Amino acid sequence: MKNEMKIGHREALTLLVTLMSGQVFLSMPRNMALLGDTAGWMIVLLAGIFSLIGYYFLATLLEKYPDQDILQISQFICGKFLGTIIGTVFFLFFLTISSLMLRQFAESFIISILPNTPISVISLFFLFLLIYGTLQGIETLTRVAWFFGPYLLLAFIITIGFSMPYADLELLLPILGKGPLPILKHSALHTSLFSNIILLGIIAPKIREQTKTFRTGLYSLILAIVINTIVTAAVLITFNYTSTSKLVFPIFQLTRLITLGEFIQRVEAIFVFLWFFTAAILMGGMFYGTIISFSHSFGLSNYRPLVFAMAVLIFCISLIPNSMTETVNLDAFIISKYYPLISFGIPLLLWIVSRFKKKGDNSNG
């Protein structure tokens, strides 16, 4: 790990935005419609605002302890034993997300374009990319994200723009959906939509300009909130919340609406190509977090020997759910409720302990 090169703040920002926005290609808009009806977009927006509050504590820790990641900070503040436990929790967090994302993206390609391909074949192909990217280091992954980032943003803009002729703003009425209390409840529970910001705590020491770490995380979080909110709202005003709740991949259905006269039609094949690279970048970031959190927790100086074994473990876990529906429910409505406790709760706990530790050190002095 010592010989890894530094990464630029722009590349890190693009990676984080992709990690927090890639879920729109899956069933996230559908899940929000199920939770909030016409106010599904509002759940995403409020969840993002709550995430900004939680991000403050992570950013404060990274600023207070420069050149250290969240795993090293936890061991410094809480001691080696508790720090190892916290690192193990982060490892399980990244491992779970990586496994469930692998299954969902593999299933999405089967349902959309490769109905006769075994899921193991697609999963193994993704794992090959993850293994190669992780062995190359985080710099390679961030450069790939930086290269494809503008194309992904352009794809979102084109998709939303061409869906507007089919849109009807009245489909967002009643504006509060099921009511203000359910919206606030689901928003607080689904700050997990932006839990991937915790990867900044892993890659922060590798950012070349440390003074821009806070802004990198803040801007990436804001951009992800905007993208997720706009896409969810666009799906709702195009298909209405009842139809959206029945679509497995709403964003894919939006791309099928893109037409330009009688000559340019069925361009979703182009977007599937970008969809593929988004999936690879998202899972690559989570896989890197899995490897690093394990190696740091148990004092391994070189993470590369773990890559193949961890890939096999993720592949096996991804096959545990019996179906795509079970995978989505497991990820979106069961396990993900605990994600905010890890991505925002642990930094908050470490921030509190660091404050008391500082006071104790001052009193002893």
Side-chain angles (χ1 to χ4, degrees):
M1 290 183 287
K2 293 181 179 179
N3 59 354
E4 284 193 353
M5 297 177 64
K6 295 288 185 177
I7 60 178
H9 65 278
R10 294 185 182 87
E11 288 85 351
L13 184 146
T14 311
L15 173 63
L16 293 171
V17 172
T18 306
L19 293 182
M20 291 183 283
S21 303
Q23 58 199 336
V24 299
F25 285 104
L26 298 174
S27 57
M28 188 276 287
R30 166 187 173 270
N31 298 336
M32 296 302 103
L34 287 171
L35 293 172
D37 290 353
T38 54
W41 66 274
M42 195 175 297
I43 294 177
V44 179
L45 178 61
L46 292 177
I49 294 174
F50 292 147
S51 299
L52 286 171
I53 299 173
Y55 169 71
Y56 167 80
F57 303 104
L58 173 64
T60 302
L61 286 173
L62 295 177
E63 187 176 6
K64 184 178 180 181
Y65 301 98
D67 298 323
Q68 294 190 58
D69 59 37
I70 190 67
L71 304 168
Q72 295 167 329
I73 292 172
S74 63
Q75 291 195 2
F76 178 79
I77 293 176
C78 301
K80 186 171 180 59
F81 178 73
L82 290 178
T84 301
I85 294 177
I86 293 174
T88 304
V89 171
F90 277 120
F91 162 68
L92 295 175
F93 167 79
F94 286 114
L95 179 68
T96 303
I97 293 181
S98 299
S99 303
L100 293 176
M101 283 295 173
L102 175 63
R103 178 63 180 270
Q104 289 183 73
F105 274 112
E107 291 275 12
S108 68
F109 279 93
I110 291 175
I111 294 173
S112 303
I113 57 174
L114 300 170
N116 297 321
T117 305
I119 189 172
S120 57
V121 174
I122 299 177
S123 297
L124 288 173
F125 186 74
F126 272 120
L127 285 175
F128 172 77
L129 294 178
L130 299 186
I131 291 171
Y132 178 78
T134 305
L135 290 175
Q136 293 298 311
I138 189 64
E139 185 200 29
T140 300
L141 183 62
T142 55
R143 286 184 179 275
V144 172
W146 173 248
F147 177 80
F148 282 100
Y151 299 104
L152 296 175
L153 181 60
L154 180 62
F156 281 128
I157 294 173
I158 292 175
T159 301
I160 302 302
F162 276 88
S163 67
M164 286 301 100
Y166 305 92
D168 183 2
L169 290 176
E170 291 185 0
L171 295 177
L172 293 181
L173 299 176
I175 195 68
L176 293 179
K178 297 180 179 180
L181 291 181
I183 290 176
L184 288 173
K185 173 187 173 183
H186 292 308
S187 299
L189 291 176
H190 285 80
T191 51
S192 56
L193 294 173
F194 306 98
S195 290
N196 292 349
I197 189 64
I198 195 62
L199 188 70
L200 177 64
I202 303 293
I203 66 174
K206 296 178 173 57
I207 296 178
R208 189 176 297 111
E209 298 176 80
Q210 287 290 299
T211 56
K212 296 183 178 180
T213 301
F214 175 81
R215 282 179 290 173
T216 298
L218 179 63
Y219 294 161
S220 65
L221 194 50
I222 292 174
L223 284 172
I225 294 170
V226 171
I227 292 173
N228 284 304
T229 302
I230 290 177
V231 171
T232 304
V235 170
L236 289 172
I237 63 178
T238 303
F239 298 118
N240 73 57
Y241 77 89
T242 304
S243 299
T244 300
S245 63
K246 297 178 182 179
L247 297 174
V248 182
F249 307 116
I251 190 70
F252 181 71
Q253 297 301 322
L254 275 184
T255 61
R256 301 185 71 174
L257 298 177
I258 297 176
T259 57
L260 189 60
E262 298 180 357
F263 302 98
I264 301 179
Q265 298 180 1
R266 302 302 301 269
V267 297
E268 63 267 18
I270 300 175
F271 290 88
V272 167
F273 177 77
L274 295 174
W275 188 359
F276 172 81
F277 279 98
T278 302
I281 294 169
L282 195 162
M283 290 188 291
M286 293 296 99
F287 186 64
Y288 182 82
T290 305
I291 298 293
I292 296 301
S293 58
F294 184 89
S295 61
H296 277 207
S297 299
F298 297 98
L300 303 178
S301 59
N302 186 8
Y303 67 82
R304 287 179 172 83
L306 297 171
V307 172
F308 290 96
M310 207 63 68
V312 173
L313 178 60
I314 288 175
F315 175 75
C316 294
I317 295 175
S318 70
L319 297 178
I320 292 178
N322 294 320
S323 63
M324 177 66 172
T325 303
E326 183 177 336
T327 306
V328 171
N329 290 335
L330 191 65
D331 182 29
F333 303 114
I334 301 176
I335 297 180
S336 65
K337 291 181 179 180
Y338 302 99
Y339 291 167
L341 297 176
I342 300 171
S343 56
F344 301 119
I346 290 180
L348 171 60
L349 179 63
L350 293 174
W351 179 81
I352 294 173
V353 174
S354 68
R355 300 283 292 183
F356 279 105
K357 185 175 181 180
K358 182 179 180 181
K359 291 180 180 180
D361 291 342
N362 290 338
S363 63
N364 292 333

